[in-house]
Amino acid sequence: MITGELKNKIDHLWEIFWTGGITNPLDVIEQITYLMFICDLDIADDNKRRESQMLKIPFQSVFGDKKQDYKWSVFKHFAPEKMYKTMQEGVFPFIKNLHADKNSTYSKYMSDAIFKIPTPQQLEKIVSALDDIMSNPAYKDKDMRGDVYEYLLSKLATSGTNGQFRTPRHIIRMMVELLDIRPGDTICDPACGTAGFLVSAGEYLKEKYLKEIFYNKARLEHYNNGMFHGYDMDRTMLRIGAMNMMTHGIANPNISYKDSLSDQNTKSNCFSKILANPPFKGSLDADIVSADLLKVTKTKKTELLFLALFLRMLQMGGRCAAIVPDGVLFGASKAHKSIRKEIISGNRLEAVISMPSGVFKPYAGVSTAVLIFTKTGHGGTDKVWFYDMQADGFSLDDKRTPVEENDIPDIIARFKNVAQEETRKRTDKSFLVPVQEIIDNDYDLSINKYKQIEYVPEEYPAPTAILADIKAMEKDIAQGIKELEGLLK
């Protein structure tokens, strides 16, 4: 989330581009992203060196011995003219050809990248301003590429036109933990954007299964080349996503330019895990929507079609965690009911986590929920776990400042021990609902349909006592007026 001091610094960086003649917002976004990648490449290379020393495995710097001047930590100290020449003739060609495989995702989306900063003086100002942001310890743990892209995107009048709102990192992490990603999984986000879900899944695997993956040649090969898949229709996002994943140590993610809902996406029964926050109100060409999705839910609503797509793309036994707008949970149209019925009666719905409307502020105020389900093809829903999230660790206004109240740890702990939820009451934050009750309610999944509000009776004084108090007050006021008149005389 871009706020306060960080917001001011990004605005200053934007102003440097603008006053220097780069006025196309998308050009600004791309140039900033390239520079952040160059900075992150230096940091990642240094981190790999340290990890290699810790794991006692050989280390080969991506810069080699002859390209140390290409490191951000080195060239940022150069004079403007030398920095510009190093960037134009060395660093930028280097990052464009960084991946040895010319057919790789990274090479594909970097092939048409262009360095557009016009003068040495402007480059020096930009590098200095960006270094001030990236080197500040306060921002050390932030996913800066995504945050900056989201904020810059919000400066465009088109922000949100295609539902392109980046999911907050803590919500992504919650979903990754709920799905319990494993080293053997094949993971997909069919609306990947800047690849936030895929990056978070990769980081989670490093934290939990470092030795299982990095000491096993076959698993490491799978991690680098076959585990992560993402699709999007925005080449800028694909380029950012490819750089984002490479920076986070994933050598060759399968990120493709593809309209996931169209006939060009033929993926079926491919993935063991799907993590996604699909567009809620994106423009849709109904003529190219895949026919098999329309068989499940005949609609132009992207949020419904994506749910049908997730079911198709999952392997049997595969699991999905997806963010949906609240309307998906209770919409009364035939399309809404048909997709809910397919998930509940045709497969296995595990959980509905209702999130407060402030989660996506300041960029959107829509109320959303997380659906977690497993593809079975033959039903299996017994009881559905509902959770009424009321706090996510941040204020629910536009400022989104950190607060103590946070339901996310409780959500993760309870979901992983859902059998113990049997004794929970409908007045609690979480509870189980039998599937038959949901069916009887026309497959309605809104939590308010099942949650009970515990009313605490208020005790009020009797009317006669209130009237007596009023008369006493009137008497006191009259006496006060007489005493005041006496003093005035």
Side-chain angles (χ1 to χ4, degrees), residues 121-370:
Q121 289 72 29
Q122 189 183 17
L123 176 63
E124 192 273 335
K125 289 180 182 178
I126 290 168
V127 168
S128 178
L130 191 54
D131 188 64
D132 185 39
I133 294 167
M134 298 293 285
S135 63
N136 192 316
Y139 313 129
K140 183 178 179 182
D141 296 326
K142 288 181 177 290
D143 181 0
M144 292 298 296
R145 285 152 310 283
D147 282 344
V148 170
Y149 186 81
E150 178 186 66
Y151 177 61
L152 292 177
L153 195 65
S154 75
K155 294 166 80 70
L156 310 179
T158 57
S159 177
T161 299
N162 294 312
Q164 294 172 341
F165 290 109
R166 182 172 168 270
T167 313
R169 291 185 71 222
H170 60 289
I171 300 298
I172 291 176
R173 176 64 185 221
M174 177 188 78
M175 293 166 67
V176 168
E177 294 207 31
L178 292 174
L179 277 196
D180 191 20
I181 305 294
R182 305 265 176 109
D185 279 324
T186 304
I187 308 162
C188 182
D189 180 355
C192 68
T194 58
F197 279 103
L198 301 178
V199 166
S200 183
E203 293 296 291
Y204 176 79
L205 288 165
K206 279 185 181 178
E207 291 172 21
K208 284 201 70 175
Y209 303 102
L210 183 68
K211 290 184 178 179
E212 290 91 330
I213 293 172
F214 290 89
Y215 284 165
N216 184 300
K217 187 176 181 180
R219 283 181 176 169
L220 182 58
E221 172 69 18
H222 176 61
Y223 182 88
N224 279 322
N225 297 288
M227 178 177 280
F228 302 98
H229 300 254
Y231 310 133
D232 207 284
M233 293 192 297
D234 186 328
R235 282 190 68 87
T236 301
M237 285 199 173
L238 290 167
R239 201 183 336 264
I240 293 169
M243 288 188 285
N244 197 2
M245 296 204 72
M246 192 168 180
T247 299
H248 283 83
I250 300 163
N252 190 27
N254 295 280
I255 296 178
S256 305
Y257 181 87
K258 188 177 293 186
D259 181 350
S260 292
L261 296 176
S262 73
D263 286 325
Q264 74 175 142
N265 179 15
T266 58
K267 295 291 184 180
S268 179
N269 301 305
C270 295
F271 305 106
S272 60
K273 300 284 169 64
I274 287 180
L275 290 150
N277 178 13
F280 295 168
K281 55 177 183 177
S283 56
L284 180 69
D285 185 349
D287 294 333
I288 64 170
V289 174
S290 182
D292 58 353
L293 301 182
L294 295 173
K295 289 178 182 177
V296 178
T297 176
K298 190 171 178 58
T299 181
K300 291 183 179 180
K301 292 186 175 293
T302 55
E303 60 266 33
L304 303 181
L305 291 167
F306 266 103
L307 288 174
L309 176 70
F310 300 156
L311 286 171
R312 190 191 77 190
M313 294 176 73
L314 283 171
Q315 299 170 356
M316 204 60 68
R319 300 174 68 217
C320 174
I323 296 175
V324 297
D326 271 2
V328 170
L329 306 180
F330 56 78
S333 73
K334 185 177 179 181
H336 281 88
K337 292 178 183 177
S338 63
I339 191 60
R340 294 199 300 264
K341 181 178 180 180
E342 180 62 28
I343 292 173
I344 296 166
S345 295
N347 296 275
R348 179 172 174 260
L349 177 62
E350 300 176 45
V352 179
I353 300 166
S354 177
M355 296 194 293
S357 59
V359 164
F360 286 95
K361 284 189 174 181
Y363 306 106
V366 62
S367 294
T368 57
V370 176

Side-chain angles (χ1 to χ4, degrees), residues 91-99 106-107 110-114:
V91 178
F92 210 76
F94 169 69
I95 66 165
K96 287 184 65 171
N97 298 287
L98 190 59
H99 206 290
Y106 177 84
S107 298
M110 285 298 290
S111 62
D112 56 353
I114 302 171

Side-chain angles (χ1 to χ4, degrees), residues 36 42 74 124 226 352 365 371 439 474:
M36 296 185 90
D42 188 2
V74 175
E124 192 273 335
V352 179
L371 293 183
I439 294 171
E474 289 175 342

